[in-house]
């Protein structure tokens, strides 16, 4: 039997200390070394309590670190073990420590830490292995040494050859393979000449499927349909292939038209180059029985026109189609409806996916699309998560039973895990799906989003940039890239990305909202006002949550505190603790001198119902406690926050507004004469400020944080000069110089 290499098992997880890995029957997770050290300590304690002091002494080797470093490690470890139930594996004993709360079994070849003489054997196979270990064979040892010597010589020879080859390259073969430049193609939604429902879905659905099929060729890069289709939807006059090529950067543009006369449906397909020159055009006649033949004919013709060889159909591709043309047509109709993005369209799409399954009960792709449809309904708040899970899970399982390597089905597993808070599982599924199909943009954007939420910005940025190559006009992708650049302090690059997004994505709200926000932050109030007003001119939804939130933000920066308070309090009354406006409301209450009353209200709310202890409520409570100089209360809320979401010190999105959780903690440590705890926090913020670009350093909020940092380090600050700079930029938080008690603290 094949034996798993591990040190001990807890619950469903096999733990390998040397590899810093957790493995189950379905996945392998690699965790941080400190998280593994903590897990090993808890395991060695065999379910007994391990004190916080012992953990800090063991893991940080006696160095002075904050309690929050330990809280972050324990929160991270709990998420790896079980994101849904943080107490399933590890129990917190308040102010004392932690202990395991699960079954623990040490590996058979490992020594039980309780008794150095005990040996556990769980399989007869292991008895044989143990005998081989305990009774060495001299002949075997000799052979092993000989093999090791031979391997060493071979390895050195290979290294020598490698170095020699790099200095003196060998001649290429007589028949070298040509290096082909990757061709980029934008496929437009085919025009509808005869306006009937079945022709409309065929026009958009067929073009969509051509994108999928062409994307399987490694020599051809195909833009995602949301960019090419979206360009035509936004600007109907932009079907000009040269305009499309200029906007997307495509070498070729594929366009078409669908018409029906009597019972004959005809599809015209035309391929243009980047200058708009017609390279090839052909007409195809189609009926319901020849839809697959038609698609293959078009693909072959396009490959010929591009002078590119078609690839052999992959194993995944065999499950992509249905042998039943009616099933395939319903799949096309469902996907065309999904492209509209509205709740009603998604509901209608589900009907078509069900019909596809009725026509072909073994249609794996239809099961995937139906499962994803139910999860989309949850995202639209039309279906509860519990109901969405009940409907989606068996459909995903069915698709995988039909085809275990179908990339879209594995990606659907990732979406399911993501919606259920299983971040690490979701990342694993999306990674697997992308290994099988690197062009699967839904997996690409979702894994990027998850890395962003985990503050792994480099990984997130890498995936978002890959997604942008496929879909350069997508506002969500461009917004996310801009947001990550902001978090890294690269405001010039973030600003440029948002300006481009606003210019090319005229129906997006994310990019103009973020651009107006950024323009305020860098001291450009007039530009911010114009950007925001331009959005309100065409997006006239007064009850939209994000519009109301941003109206409050801009009113605040226009010094209209009463109007800002009305917007934020209305949101609080309707949404309570569920959204990120709450810390802003706490900050506004502090400015208005209503800190104590609001603090008491939120505290009472949190005590009566744990559902209110969200990330946003805990942040708001920590701000209010700090404002009242209640450092113990502030630390308590940040400790609770660390159990919800690992704390990240020195985040630039906080710094740029003029607020820093990290410096607030440092100020409290200095006041309590715990300088050794304050210094690492101060250094973390200083590091973030040093990495910021020049535009960021000129932002008034950053100037305020720099002044607060200098004061905590004992450097004299020029308050008058700061107030003058803040007034010029219409910065609304100059009051912090007077009301933030940290400006009076001296180390």
């Amino acid at each position: 039997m094949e034996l798993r290499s591990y040190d001990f098992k807890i619950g469903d997880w096999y733990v390998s200390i040397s590899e810093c890995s957790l493995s189950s029957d379905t996945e392998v997770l690699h965790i941080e070394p400190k998280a593994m050290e903590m897990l090993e300590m808890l395991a060695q304690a065999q379910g007994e309590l391990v004190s916080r002091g012992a953990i800090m002494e063991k893991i940080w080797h006696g160095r002075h670190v904050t309690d929050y470093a330990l809280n972050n490690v324990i929160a991270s470890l709990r998420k790896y073990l079980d994101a849904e139930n943080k107490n399933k594996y590890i129990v917190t004993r308040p102010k004392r420590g932690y202990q395991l709360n699960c079954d623990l079994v040490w590996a058979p070849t490992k020594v039980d830490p309780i008794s150095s003489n005990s040996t556990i054997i769980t399989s007869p196979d292991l008895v044989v292995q143990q005998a081989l270990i305990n009774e060495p064979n001299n002949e075997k040892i000799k052979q092993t040494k000989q093999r090791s010597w031979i391997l060493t010589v071979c390895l050195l020879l290979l290294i020598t050859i490698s170095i020699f080859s790099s200095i003196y390259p060998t001649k290429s073969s007589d028949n070298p393979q040509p290096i082909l430049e990757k061709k980029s193609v934008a496929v437009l939604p085919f025009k509808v000449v005869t306006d009937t429902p079945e022709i409309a879905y065929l026009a958009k659905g067929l073009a969509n499927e051509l994108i999928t099929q062409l994307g399987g060729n490694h020599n051809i890069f195909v833009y995602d349909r949301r960019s090419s289709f979206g360009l035509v939807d936004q600007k109907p006059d932009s079907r000009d292939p040269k305009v499309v090529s200029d906007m997307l950067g495509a070498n070729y543009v594929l366009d078409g038209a669908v018409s029906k006369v009597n019972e004959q449906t005809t599809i015209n397909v035309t391929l243009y180059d980047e200058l708009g020159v017609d390279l090839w055009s052909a007409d195809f006649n189609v009926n319901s029985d020849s839809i697959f033949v038609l698609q293959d004919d078009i693909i072959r013709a396009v490959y010929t026109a591009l002078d590119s060889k078609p690839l052999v159909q992959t194993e995944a591709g065999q499950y992509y189609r249905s042998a039943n043309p009616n099933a395939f047509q319903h799949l096309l109709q469902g996907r065309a409806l999904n492209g509209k993005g509205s709740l009603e369209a998604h509901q209608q799409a589900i009907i078509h996916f069900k019909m596809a399954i009725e026509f072909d009960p073994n249609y794996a792709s239809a099961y995937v699309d139906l499962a994803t449809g139910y999860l989309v309904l949850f995202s639209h708040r039309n279906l509860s998560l519990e109901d969405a899970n009940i409907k989606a899970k068996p459909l995903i399982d069915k698709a995988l039973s039909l085809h275990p390597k179908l990339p879209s089905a594995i990606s659907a597993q990732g979406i399911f895990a993501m919606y259920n808070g299983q971040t690490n599982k979701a990342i694993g599924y999306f990674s697997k799906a992308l290994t099988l199909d690197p062009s699967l943009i839904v997996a690409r954007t979702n894994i990027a989003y998850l890395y962003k939420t985990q503050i792994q910005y480099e990984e997130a940025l890498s995936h978002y940039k890959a997604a942008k190559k496929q879909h350069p006009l997508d506002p969500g992708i461009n917004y996310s890239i801009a947001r990550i650049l902001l978090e890294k302090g690269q405001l010039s690059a973030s600003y440029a990305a948002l300006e481009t997004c606003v210019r090319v994505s005229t129906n997006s709200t994310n990019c103009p909202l973020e651009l107006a926000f950024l323009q305020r932050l860098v001291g450009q109030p007039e530009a911010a006002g114009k950007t925001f007003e331009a959005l309100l001119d065409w997006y006239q939804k007064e009850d939209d949550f994000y519009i109301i939130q941003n109206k409050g933000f801009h009113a605040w920066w226009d010094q209209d505190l009463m109007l800002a308070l009305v917007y934020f309090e209305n949101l609080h009354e309707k949404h309570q603790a569920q959204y990120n406006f709450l810390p802003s409301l706490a900050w506004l209450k502090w400015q208005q001198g209503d800190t104590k009353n609001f603090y008491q209200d939120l505290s009472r709310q949190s005590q009566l119902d744990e559902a209110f202890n969200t990330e946003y409520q805990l942040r708001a409570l920590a701000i209010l406690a700090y404002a009242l100089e209640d450092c113990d209360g502030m630390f308590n809320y940040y400790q609770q926050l660390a159990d919800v979401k690992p704390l990240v010190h020195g985040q630039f999105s906080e710094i740029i507004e003029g607020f820093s959780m990290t410096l607030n903690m440092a100020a409290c440590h200095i006041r309590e004469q715990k300088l050794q705890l304050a210094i690492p926090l101060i250094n973390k913020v200083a590091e973030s400020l040093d990495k910021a670009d020049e535009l960021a350093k000129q932002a008034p909020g950053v100037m305020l944080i720099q002044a607060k940092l200098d004061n905590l380090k004992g450097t004299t600050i020029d308050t008058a000069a700061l107030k003058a700079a803040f007034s010029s930029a219409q910065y609304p938080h100059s009051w912090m110089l007077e009301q933030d008690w940290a400006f009076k603290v001296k180390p």
Side-chain angles (χ1 to χ4, degrees):
M1 62 184 265
E2 183 181 352
L3 296 175
R4 186 192 300 264
S5 175
Y6 68 100
D7 294 286
F8 58 91
K9 184 182 183 220
I10 54 171
D12 299 328
W13 295 106
Y14 293 87
V15 182
S16 171
I17 297 171
S18 62
E19 296 179 1
C20 283
S21 70
L22 307 173
S23 61
S24 68
D25 293 335
T26 59
E27 62 180 327
V28 177
L29 303 178
H30 293 279
I31 69 176
E32 297 87 353
K34 281 186 169 54
M36 180 55 72
E37 286 186 67
M38 180 178 291
L39 184 57
E40 183 183 5
M41 283 190 72
L42 294 172
Q44 288 174 341
Q46 297 284 92
E48 296 298 318
L49 180 75
V50 180
S51 71
R52 293 173 65 89
I55 294 173
M56 296 182 83
E57 178 67 28
K58 171 74 174 177
I59 295 179
W60 283 277
H61 310 293
R63 289 189 292 111
H64 289 294
V65 296
T66 67
D67 288 342
Y68 308 101
L70 173 56
N71 293 338
N72 280 334
V73 174
I74 199 73
S76 175
L77 181 56
R78 279 172 163 156
K79 283 194 172 184
Y80 283 122
L81 294 170
D82 193 318
E84 296 178 326
N85 183 357
K86 68 179 183 180
N87 292 320
K88 179 178 178 181
Y89 286 88
I90 302 172
V91 174
T92 301
R93 301 302 178 195
K95 298 184 180 180
R96 297 170 60 202
Y98 306 94
Q99 63 190 112
L100 284 182
N101 184 36
C102 60
D103 293 334
L104 169 67
V105 179
W106 288 86
T109 57
K110 300 295 176 184
V111 178
D112 188 324
I114 293 180
S115 172
S116 60
N117 297 319
S118 63
T119 304
I120 306 172
I121 297 178
T122 59
S123 166
D125 296 338
L126 293 175
V127 178
V128 178
Q129 293 187 1
Q130 190 68 34
L132 290 175
I133 294 171
N134 292 338
E135 299 182 15
N137 185 309
N138 292 333
E139 184 62 30
K140 286 182 178 290
I141 293 173
K142 183 179 179 181
Q143 292 174 0
T144 301
K145 288 182 177 179
Q146 289 175 343
R147 286 197 298 270
S148 298
W149 179 82
I150 293 170
L151 286 172
T152 302
V153 172
C154 291
L155 180 60
L156 289 172
L157 181 60
L158 285 171
I159 293 172
T160 304
I161 293 171
S162 175
I163 295 172
F164 183 86
S165 298
S166 66
I167 301 174
Y168 303 103
T170 59
K171 290 183 179 180
S172 59
S173 64
D174 294 334
N175 298 305
Q177 295 295 317
I179 299 174
L180 299 176
E181 183 180 353
K182 204 165 188 176
K183 301 174 175 68
S184 58
V185 181
V187 181
L188 301 183
F190 289 5
K191 290 175 284 192
V192 178
V193 179
T194 307
D195 193 7
T196 62
E198 64 270 18
I199 294 300
Y201 92 77
L202 180 62
K204 184 166 282 191
L206 182 59
N208 191 48
E209 300 313 305
L210 291 176
I211 289 173
T212 303
Q213 296 296 319
L214 286 170
N217 189 316
H218 300 303
N219 296 326
I220 298 176
F221 178 84
V222 184
Y223 291 92
D224 184 76
R225 65 170 181 80
R226 287 174 295 176
S227 274
S228 53
F229 287 23
L231 187 60
V232 174
D233 290 342
Q234 291 177 33
K235 303 174 182 178
D237 59 342
S238 64
R239 294 196 79 99
D240 183 339
K242 187 176 185 307
V243 173
V244 173
S245 179
D246 289 343
M247 291 289 288
L248 300 180
N251 302 133
Y252 301 92
V253 176
L254 187 68
D255 200 358
V258 184
S259 61
K260 186 173 183 179
V261 179
N262 297 325
E263 295 303 316
Q264 181 62 61
T265 300
T266 302
I267 299 177
N268 171 266
V269 183
T270 305
L271 183 70
Y272 301 92
D273 69 8
E274 57 192 343
L275 299 176
V277 177
D278 181 341
L279 299 178
W280 161 82
S281 183
D283 290 329
F284 299 85
N285 294 325
V286 62
N287 58 55
S288 60
D289 295 329
S290 66
I291 183 73
F292 301 134
V293 176
L294 165 76
Q295 205 169 290
D296 290 340
D297 287 346
I298 295 175
I299 290 293
R300 278 193 293 270
V302 172
Y303 280 143
T304 301
L306 291 171
D307 193 25
S308 181
K309 294 181 180 179
L311 298 181
V312 176
Q313 190 178 32
T314 62
E315 182 184 1
Q318 295 169 6
Y319 287 82
Y320 175 71
R321 293 179 174 179
S322 166
N324 187 304
N326 289 320
F328 186 60
Q329 289 189 34
H330 277 292
L331 188 80
L332 291 183
Q333 286 180 274
R335 290 183 173 180
L337 286 164
N338 269 344
K340 295 182 178 180
S342 67
L343 173 60
E344 183 181 1
H346 287 308
Q347 291 171 328
Q348 292 174 355
I350 281 177
I351 296 172
H352 285 287
F353 297 141
K354 287 180 177 179
M355 291 296 295
I357 293 171
E358 283 191 26
F359 278 108
D360 183 357
N362 293 318
Y363 197 2
S365 290
Y367 284 105
V368 172
D369 285 8
L370 182 56
T372 307
Y374 286 127
L375 294 171
V376 169
L377 291 186
F378 161 69
S379 71
H380 279 270
R381 301 296 186 263
N382 183 255
L383 200 64
S384 70
L385 180 58
E386 182 180 2
D387 289 340
N389 286 343
I390 291 171
K391 292 176 181 292
K393 185 65 165 62
L395 295 168
I396 296 172
D397 292 343
K398 177 66 174 178
L400 289 167
S401 71
L402 292 167
H403 181 35
K405 293 184 179 180
L406 187 63
S408 60
I410 296 167
S411 179
Q413 285 183 299
I415 296 171
F416 183 92
M418 180 175 69
Y419 282 169
N420 284 277
Q422 300 169 329
T423 299
N424 293 311
K425 280 188 176 182
I427 289 175
Y429 287 132
F430 290 136
S431 297
K432 184 177 179 181
L434 288 168
T435 300
L436 295 169
D437 182 3
S439 67
L440 194 60
I441 197 165
V442 65
R444 182 77 66 189
T445 52
N446 278 313
I447 196 173
Y449 166 77
L450 291 175
Y451 277 130
K452 186 176 75 168
T453 62
Q454 296 296 298
I455 324 297
Q456 298 182 44
Y457 292 134
E458 293 303 327
E459 290 86 349
L461 199 56
S462 173
H463 282 287
Y464 274 129
K465 286 182 176 179
K468 185 177 179 179
K469 289 181 180 179
Q470 286 178 259
H471 191 2
L473 303 186
D474 181 79
I477 294 171
N478 283 290
Y479 165 81
S480 297
I481 290 173
R483 189 69 192 181
I484 292 173
L485 291 170
L486 184 148
E487 290 288 2
K488 292 164 64 68
Q490 298 174 15
L491 263 63
S492 294
S494 179
Y495 198 114
L498 289 170
E499 284 188 315
T500 300
C501 181
V502 170
R503 186 175 66 255
V504 300
S505 303
T506 56
N507 61 351
S508 162
T509 59
N510 282 348
C511 290
L513 286 176
E514 185 73 3
L515 179 59
F517 171 75
L518 185 54
Q519 287 167 332
R520 286 283 189 182
L521 296 181
V522 298
Q524 299 176 6
E526 292 183 3
K530 289 179 181 178
T531 302
F532 190 51
E533 289 299 325
L535 170 63
L536 296 181
D537 284 343
W538 67 266
Y539 189 73
Q540 299 178 358
K541 294 186 179 180
E542 296 293 327
D543 59 343
D544 182 282
F545 168 83
Y546 294 104
I547 294 296
I548 296 172
Q549 183 181 26
N550 278 271
K551 282 184 175 180
F553 170 76
H554 286 286
W556 193 3
W557 278 64
D558 285 332
Q559 309 291 341
D560 193 341
L561 302 189
M562 294 307 298
L563 182 58
L565 193 62
V566 168
Y567 285 126
F568 286 134
E569 286 187 333
N570 285 341
L571 289 175
H572 186 227
E573 183 178 350
K574 185 175 181 180
H575 300 286
Q576 296 297 318
Q578 299 306 313
Y579 291 97
N580 61 353
F581 66 87
L582 199 51
S584 295
L585 179 56
W587 205 4
L588 184 56
K589 291 284 188 178
W590 180 11
Q591 181 179 0
Q592 291 194 314
D594 194 20
T595 313
K596 188 173 183 180
N597 290 333
F598 193 50
Y599 184 45
Q600 290 173 344
D601 290 343
L602 290 188
S603 300
R604 192 180 307 112
Q605 198 177 54
S606 293
Q607 292 168 3
L608 292 174
D609 189 348
E610 288 189 359
F612 286 100
N613 287 329
T614 64
E615 172 193 350
Y616 311 116
Q617 180 110 336
L618 292 170
R619 284 188 181 279
L621 283 165
I623 290 170
L624 295 167
Y626 171 80
L628 294 168
E629 302 187 42
D630 179 8
C631 288
D632 288 341
M634 182 198 71
F635 282 127
N636 174 55
Y637 290 120
Y638 281 139
Q639 183 168 345
Q640 292 182 54
L641 181 60
D643 287 335
V644 176
K645 180 179 180 179
L647 298 181
V648 180
H649 293 296
Q651 276 190 282
F652 207 82
S653 57
E654 281 191 336
I655 289 174
I656 193 169
E657 288 195 66
F659 181 84
S660 172
M661 165 192 75
T662 308
L663 283 190
N664 291 350
M665 295 168 69
C668 279
H669 285 315
I670 290 173
R671 196 177 69 168
E672 295 170 357
Q673 298 183 348
K674 296 178 180 178
L675 195 60
Q676 76 279 7
L677 298 179
I679 289 174
L681 299 175
I682 289 173
N683 290 341
K684 193 68 178 176
V685 175
E687 181 183 339
S688 292
L689 292 173
D690 288 342
K691 291 179 180 178
D693 65 13
E694 286 305 311
L695 182 62
K697 290 177 180 178
Q698 295 169 13
V702 174
M703 294 168 64
L704 179 65
I705 292 301
Q706 183 67 62
K708 186 171 180 176
L709 179 71
D710 290 341
N711 185 72
L712 293 177
K713 291 167 67 176
T715 304
T716 302
I717 60 174
D718 189 342
T719 304
L722 279 173
K723 287 183 176 179
F726 294 161
S727 176
S728 175
Q730 296 184 25
Y731 180 59
H733 303 316
S734 58
W735 59 273
M736 294 281 286
L737 291 169
E738 306 295 336
Q739 294 191 41
D740 186 348
W741 55 267
F743 282 99
K744 301 178 180 64
V745 170
K746 297 295 180 184

